[in-house]
Amino acid sequence: MNKNSWITVKLDETLKTSEIIKLIDNSYNLSIGNKCGSTGKTLAQKVYDYLTTIPKGKVVTYKQVAESLGNKGLARAVGNILHKNPDEHKYPCYKVLNSKGELAEAFVFGGKEIQKEKLEKDGITVIDNKVDLETYQWKEK
């Protein structure tokens, strides 16, 4: 975005907090839309749908998910979307790691210990809160 697209808000209590939150959400949706041609909600659903395709015993990286959406620059947006995952059972976000194979410090459903448990239950070895991507990363064909 450029300065012509900025939203300026005077924080003097003339706007309700809910209105400010809506403006922030709109700004976020517009900025990620510029990167991939999707709105925030559409992009989020694409991320969640992608999670359902990851095979048992495999993991992916944030960058890998972003690349599947057409823009590796969306990796941080993918992380934000996963942190708002509405259904941990339907959308297995525990299978997404950083590019070093490290578990998420703030895994949304209970922290990295829970993420580790879920990965190990899936047959993935976790050593020192890290997964060997050479062994477990899903390579799409």
Side-chain angles (χ1 to χ4, degrees):
M1 294 179 69
N2 60 40
K3 291 180 181 179
N4 293 328
S5 301
W6 285 3
I7 300 170
T8 303
V9 177
K10 188 173 182 181
L11 299 175
D12 63 357
E13 299 185 20
T14 57
L15 280 179
K16 293 180 183 178
T17 301
S18 61
E19 289 299 315
I20 294 170
I21 291 170
K22 284 181 188 177
L23 289 169
I24 291 169
D25 284 345
N26 287 340
S27 176
Y28 176 77
N29 288 338
L30 288 169
S31 67
I32 64 171
N34 288 341
K35 290 184 179 182
C36 66
S38 294
T39 64
K41 288 181 181 178
T42 302
L43 180 64
Q45 192 57 56
K46 288 179 182 180
V47 169
Y48 297 139
D49 289 345
Y50 181 85
L51 296 178
T52 66
T53 67
I54 304 168
K56 180 177 174 63
K58 294 295 180 181
V59 296
V60 296
T61 64
Y62 298 102
K63 179 181 173 186
Q64 189 175 348
V65 177
E67 286 174 336
S68 78
L69 300 170
N71 186 333
K72 67 182 179 182
L74 290 171
R76 191 171 300 252
V78 168
N80 288 331
I81 289 166
L82 295 182
H83 200 69
K84 297 175 184 175
N85 184 348
D87 187 340
E88 69 176 303
H89 302 293
K90 186 174 181 181
Y91 306 117
C93 60
Y94 69 91
K95 295 181 178 188
V96 184
L97 309 170
N98 71 18
S99 61
K100 296 177 187 174
E102 297 169 338
L103 305 187
E105 282 292 326
F107 176 63
V108 68
F109 296 108
K112 65 183 172 183
E113 287 304 314
I114 300 299
Q115 185 179 17
K116 178 181 178 183
E117 287 176 20
K118 289 178 176 289
L119 289 167
E120 288 175 339
K121 187 175 180 181
D122 215 22
I124 298 167
T125 302
V126 179
I127 300 172
D128 295 326
N129 295 314
K130 193 171 181 180
V131 171
D132 179 11
L133 293 178
E134 289 293 319
T135 303
Y136 295 105
Q137 187 173 15
W138 180 39
K139 306 289 185 189
E140 300 171 68
K141 296 179 181 181

